[in-house]
Amino acid sequence: MEKLMEQFLEQSAQAEESFYRVEEQRLQVEDRRRETEHARELHMLQMLAQMFAGISSARPVKSVLFFYVKTLLFVSSVFERYNSLGSSSHRAMDEEVFSLVKSVVPPLTSKKHKGQDGRIGIIGGCQDYTGAPYFAAISALKVGADLSHVFCTKDAATVIKSYSPELIVHPVLDSPNAVEEIEKWLPRLHSLVVGPGLGREDSLLKTTKEVIERSKARDIPIVIDADGLWLVTQQPSVIQGYQKGILTPNFMEFTRLFEALHHEPLNSSDHSRSVMQLSGAMGNLTLVLKGEQDLISDGSKVYSCSVEGSGRRCGGQGDLLSGSMGVLAHWLLPQHILAQYLMNPSVVAAFGACSLTRQCNSQAFQRHGRSTTTSDMIQEIGPAFRKLFET
Ligand SMILES: NC(=O)C1=CN([C@@H]2O[C@H](COP(=O)(O)OP(=O)(O)OC[C@H]3O[C@@H](n4cnc5c(N)ncnc54)[C@H](OP(=O)(O)O)[C@@H]3O)[C@@H](O)[C@H]2O)[C@@H](O)CC1
Ligand SMILES: Nc1ncnc2c1ncn2[C@@H]1O[C@H](COP(=O)(O)OP(=O)(O)OP(=O)(O)O)[C@@H](O)[C@H]1O
C-alpha cells in the first residue's frame, strides 16, 4: 500500500512538472508572438509618421486629408488593442510598456555630442540631506543622461561634489538671487526633478515654487518627489493641470496630499480609486503611489507596476526612482508623438522608472541581501536597464 502511494505521488509530481514545462513553453511562444507583432506595429506607425511629415508639405490638400484619415483609422485600431490590454495579465502589460520605452531609448552613435541624450536638473540638497540629491543625480547619469546638474544650498554643495566628480553642483539654492541663478540654466535643461533632500525651510520652498513656475513656462517635464511634494501639499496650484508634471509620493506623502485636496480622510481600503481621484483633482497629472505595488494613474486608468523587488527598504530608493524618471520623461515626452496615441507618455515614463527601480532592488538584493543599500542598487542600474529595455 505504502509503495503504491509512493508511486502515485511520484507520478503526480511528474505530471505536474510536465504540465508546468508545457505551460512555460506556451507562454514563451505567446510572448515572442506579441513582441513581433508589437515591433511590427511600432515600425508601421513610425513609417506612417515619417510619410505624413513628408507629404504634408508636398501634396495637395485632398490627398493629405485622405492620408490623414487613413492614419487616424490605423492608429485608433492599435489604440483599441492597447486599451483591451486592461484585462490582460500584468506581465503582458509590462511587456507592452517596456516596448514603448525601448522605442525611445536613444541609440548610441558617434554622431552625437555631449548633452544630446539629456541634461537633467535636480532641485534639492540642504544641510541635513546631501545623499538624496546625489542619488537622484547619479541615477539620471547611469540611466543614460549626459549631464546632471544639482541646485542645492551652499553648505550642501561641497559635500555633494565630494561624493562624485560626475555631477555639476551649483551652490545657489539659498543665495539671494537663487531664482535668477537657476533660471539661467533652464534653457539648457531637458527635465527637472524637484524635491530630493530639499528640506522644508520656507525660503527654499519659495524659491522652488518660482523655479517650477518658470520651468512650466518653458514646457520642461517636472518630476516632483519628497519635500517638493510638501510644497505641492501647501500649494497644489503650483503644478495642478501641468501635463508634463509627474508626482511620486510614498504612502505618507500621498495621504497628506489627498487630504489637502479632498478635505476628508483617505479611505485606505481602495488605493487604486484614491490614486485616480487624486490625479483627477490635480488636473489629470500623472501620479505614482509607491509601495508594494506602484500604482500609476493620469486620472483615466490605473496601472500597477509589480516587477519583483525585494523586502529591503533602505532610504534613497525613491531618489533613484525620481532621477531615472527625469531621464525617461525627457526621452518620452517631447519627441514621441506616437506614444500619445497609445498611452500617456508620462505614464509610460513613470511605469518604466518604477520597473527599473524595482529590478535594481531585486538584483542588488541577490548580491547583498539584508545589507543592500541604495548605492548597491545604483550599481545595478546599467545591467537592470539592459535587461528590461535593451534586450
Ligand atoms: N540619504 C539621504 O540624504 C536621504 C534623504 N531623504 C530625504 O529626507 C527628506 C524627508 O523625507 P522623508 O520621506 O523621510 O519624510 P516624510 O515624508 O516626512 O516621512 C517621514 C515619515 O513618514 C513615514 N513614512 C514614510 N514612508 C512611509 C510609507 N511608505 N508608509 C507609511 N509611512 C511612511 C515614516 O514614519 P515612521 O514609520 O518613522 O513613523 C517616516 O519617518 C526628503 O528631503 C528626502 O528626500 C530620503 O530621500 C532618504 C535618503
Ligand atoms: N513594499 C514594497 N515592495 C516592493 N517595492 C517597494 C515597496 N515599497 C516601495 N518599493 C519600491 O521602492 C521605490 C521607492 O519607494 P519608497 O516608498 O521607498 O519611496 P520613498 O519613501 O520616497 O524613498 P526615499 O527613501 O528615497 O525617500 C518604489 O518605487 C517601489 O518601486
Side-chain angles (χ1 to χ4, degrees):
M1 187 64 185
E2 214 170 276
K3 199 154 174 95
L4 264 177
M5 198 63 187
E6 238 173 54
Q7 265 178 357
F8 174 74
L9 284 174
E10 200 174 307
Q11 276 168 2
S12 14
Q14 277 169 1
E16 194 179 351
E17 201 176 293
S18 101
F19 169 80
Y20 281 118
R21 227 183 357 253
V22 171
E23 184 63 5
E24 174 96 37
Q25 281 165 358
R26 191 187 65 75
L27 285 173
Q28 278 171 2
V29 169
E30 175 65 7
D31 274 358
R32 277 198 293 274
R33 189 192 63 74
R34 293 178 69 89
E35 256 172 37
T36 315
E37 194 180 313
H38 182 74
R40 191 179 58 80
E41 277 169 358
L42 269 179
H43 183 65
M44 284 178 76
L45 281 169
Q46 271 155 357
M47 275 176 28
L48 283 169
Q50 275 168 9
M51 280 166 66
F52 185 56
I55 66 161
S56 56
S57 55
R59 292 206 182 165
V61 174
K62 203 170 152 199
S63 89
V64 170
L65 270 179
F66 176 70
F67 179 80
Y68 185 62
V69 170
K70 279 189 79 171
T71 305
L72 276 183
L73 284 175
F74 176 76
V75 166
S76 65
S77 73
V78 178
F79 184 59
E80 251 171 44
R81 209 177 68 77
Y82 269 77
N83 274 345
S84 73
L85 283 169
S87 57
S88 64
S89 70
H90 280 309
R91 188 148 172 235
M93 174 67 218
D94 292 357
E95 292 300 331
E96 298 292 341
V97 178
F98 294 166
S99 299
L100 284 172
V101 176
K102 280 178 194 178
S103 73
V104 298
V105 173
L108 296 168
T109 76
S110 55
K111 303 275 179 257
K112 289 195 211 158
H113 63 260
K114 171 186 62 188
Q116 277 186 287
D117 283 349
R119 292 183 291 267
I120 313 299
I122 314 290
I123 308 288
C126 62
Q127 193 179 29
D128 285 352
Y129 307 120
T130 53
Y134 161 76
F135 289 144
I138 196 79
S139 299
L141 285 180
K142 294 266 182 190
V143 165
D146 289 338
L147 295 164
S148 251
H149 293 256
V150 178
F151 300 89
C152 59
T153 61
K154 198 159 182 279
D155 48 11
T158 319
V159 182
I160 299 172
K161 281 180 211 250
S162 76
Y163 296 151
S164 162
E166 255 83 59
L167 307 180
I168 302 167
V169 184
H170 308 269
V172 295
L173 204 52
D174 51 352
S175 73
N177 53 346
V179 176
E180 288 67 33
E181 288 289 336
I182 298 171
E183 191 175 27
K184 275 195 235 161
W185 288 93
L186 291 184
R188 308 214 23 88
L189 296 181
H190 294 117
S191 71
L192 214 58
V193 179
V194 176
L198 175 64
R200 293 173 191 173
E201 212 179 276
D202 281 347
S203 62
L204 297 185
L205 295 180
K206 194 161 168 255
T207 298
T208 303
K209 178 175 182 250
E210 195 50 45
V211 171
I212 294 176
E213 294 293 359
R214 297 193 187 191
S215 306
K216 284 193 316 191
R218 293 181 177 276
D219 214 25
I220 297 174
I222 307 174
V223 177
I224 305 191
D225 187 33
D227 300 320
L229 294 167
W230 181 263
L231 168 67
V232 175
T233 302
Q234 317 300 313
Q235 302 178 53
S237 62
V238 68
I239 195 75
Q240 220 158 12
Y242 184 58
Q243 294 309 302
K244 291 190 174 177
I246 308 179
L247 308 185
T248 58
N250 62 29
F251 185 67
M252 189 72 157
E253 292 155 345
F254 182 83
T255 307
R256 280 198 289 254
L257 192 54
F258 186 96
E259 293 181 356
L261 269 119
H262 293 277
H263 307 289
E264 59 180 59
L266 173 69
N267 170 6
S268 58
S269 65
D270 189 350
H271 287 173
S272 291
R273 188 160 168 269
S274 306
V275 172
M276 284 261 276
Q277 276 180 330
L278 183 52
S279 169
M282 286 300 298
N284 290 87
L285 220 70
T286 296
L287 193 84
V288 181
L289 168 56
K290 300 176 287 192
E292 192 172 351
Q293 293 178 343
D294 296 323
L295 298 176
I296 302 160
S297 179
D298 58 1
S300 60
K301 197 170 169 183
V302 180
Y303 300 86
S304 153
C305 176
S306 44
V307 169
E308 193 182 346
S310 81
R312 180 73 174 126
R313 298 271 68 78
C314 51
Q317 298 183 33
D319 307 316
L320 191 164
L321 176 77
S322 62
S324 321
M325 205 176 289
V327 184
L328 292 188
H330 161 52
W331 290 348
L332 274 146
L333 280 163
Q335 46 161 318
H336 205 56
I337 45 161
L338 294 169
Q340 290 171 17
Y341 293 104
L342 309 171
M343 244 177 107
N344 181 336
S346 297
V347 170
V348 178
F351 197 102
C354 288
S355 309
L356 182 67
T357 306
R358 300 171 79 97
Q359 182 66 31
C360 290
N361 183 259
S362 159
Q363 288 178 197
F365 188 77
Q366 279 164 33
R367 284 177 195 269
H368 306 280
R370 193 179 285 278
S371 76
T372 301
T373 61
T374 297
S375 297
D376 298 323
M377 288 171 58
I378 287 167
Q379 292 303 318
E380 297 297 329
I381 291 179
F385 189 93
R386 269 197 298 283
K387 184 172 175 9
L388 296 180
F389 307 128
E390 288 182 314
T391 49

